Amino acid sequence: MATKTIITIERQYGSGGHLIGKKLAEDLNIPFYDGELLKVAAKESGICEEIFESFDEKPTTSFLYSLVMDPYSLGYNANSFDLPLNHKVFLAAFDTIKDIASKGPCIFVGRCADYALEDFDNCLSIFIHAPFEDRIKRIEEVYEIPKAKSKEALLKKDKQRASYYNYYSSNKWGDAKAYDFCINSSLLGIDQTVDLIKQVIAEKESQ
């Protein structure tokens, strides 16, 4: 199946969002960016990769809110204004997402990609969720997180992702209104969720 669509995936921890994105990219034969985005952003910006990793999907408590809401209309970019390092890291990732997306269809997982690409007509934003107990079971089995620590780990990771998204985006993480399509990955399982998303893409492109 050939596609012209850029897909962004936000996901609850343990919902299988990364695996769904990766399988979807393989089926569609398009580039996939999750942690890989950090390598590209580091190379493009000249900021070392370790610094990107230290700020990756983690909120900050001090930010120029108006700047992030619309950095481009103010004429700033990651290098032209004396911003704190965490601000530069976010804007560099933002620039990288837009640059990659301008080159053709691909899949981004996390990192406010849906917000970065909200002006792209060929973008499909997805939120993947699953019941709490299913996600606990998954992180214990797949990520081998001990039972004694799995609930704390899940809640912490979800809180980090929500805080980061809510801070840097004008939308609310997990709010159905913020996405084109929300799906419970436990309902169909990983492979059939991928198939369903492909159907949605095909329907979108046929209109």
Side-chain angles (χ1 to χ4, degrees):
M1 171 184 167
T3 183
K4 298 172 289 186
T5 302
I6 299 160
I7 300 104
T8 67
I9 296 174
E10 286 289 339
R11 70 288 181 224
Q12 289 183 323
Y13 187 49
S15 66
H18 173 91
L19 183 57
I20 288 166
K22 197 162 184 62
K23 283 179 173 284
L24 184 62
E26 289 169 359
D27 285 0
L28 298 175
N29 194 29
I30 59 176
F32 172 79
Y33 298 94
D34 190 342
E36 298 85 351
L37 180 70
L38 305 183
K39 296 182 188 298
V40 180
K43 183 179 178 182
E44 294 291 325
S45 67
I47 300 171
C48 76
E49 192 177 329
E50 289 76 12
I51 292 175
F52 273 93
E53 289 173 356
S54 70
F55 290 114
D56 188 34
E57 290 198 298
K58 295 183 180 72
T60 179
T61 54
S62 59
F63 204 83
L64 303 177
Y65 185 79
S66 61
L67 172 60
V68 172
M69 289 302 98
D70 197 3
Y72 297 95
S73 72
L74 296 174
Y76 299 136
N77 61 46
N79 300 312
S80 69
F81 195 65
D82 189 20
L83 294 170
L85 184 58
N86 54 322
H87 304 183
K88 290 184 179 181
V89 167
F90 173 76
L91 292 176
F94 207 80
D95 284 338
T96 300
I97 289 168
K98 292 170 83 77
D99 183 57
I100 291 171
S102 70
K103 295 173 182 174
C106 54
I107 295 176
F108 295 102
V109 174
R111 298 162 186 90
C112 295
D114 58 321
Y115 178 60
L117 302 178
E118 63 180 359
D119 294 332
F120 282 60
D121 294 334
N122 62 328
C123 186
L124 178 71
S125 61
I126 298 170
F127 186 82
I128 296 173
H129 58 99
F132 188 83
E133 290 305 321
D134 290 353
R135 295 191 288 129
I136 287 285
K137 183 179 178 184
R138 180 177 176 80
I139 67 170
E140 289 173 352
E141 292 177 355
V142 176
Y143 305 136
E144 298 181 344
I145 295 175
K147 279 184 181 292
K149 297 183 177 180
S150 58
K151 181 177 179 181
E152 180 185 357
L154 189 149
L155 292 173
K156 181 180 178 182
K157 184 69 80 171
D158 271 357
K159 185 177 180 180
Q160 282 184 344
R161 289 177 179 176
S163 297
Y164 179 90
Y165 185 90
N166 295 345
Y167 202 65
Y168 290 119
S169 152
S170 59
N171 298 319
K172 184 178 179 183
W173 190 78
D175 184 347
K177 296 192 297 294
Y179 309 95
D180 297 319
F181 184 52
C182 299
I183 183 166
N184 173 358
S185 58
S186 290
L187 189 65
L188 299 174
I190 298 295
D191 290 337
Q192 285 187 279
T193 297
V194 171
D195 289 341
L196 179 59
I197 294 171
K198 286 193 291 186
Q199 291 178 36
V200 172
I201 293 169
E203 183 64 32
K204 179 180 185 295
E205 292 185 354
S206 71
Q207 294 177 355

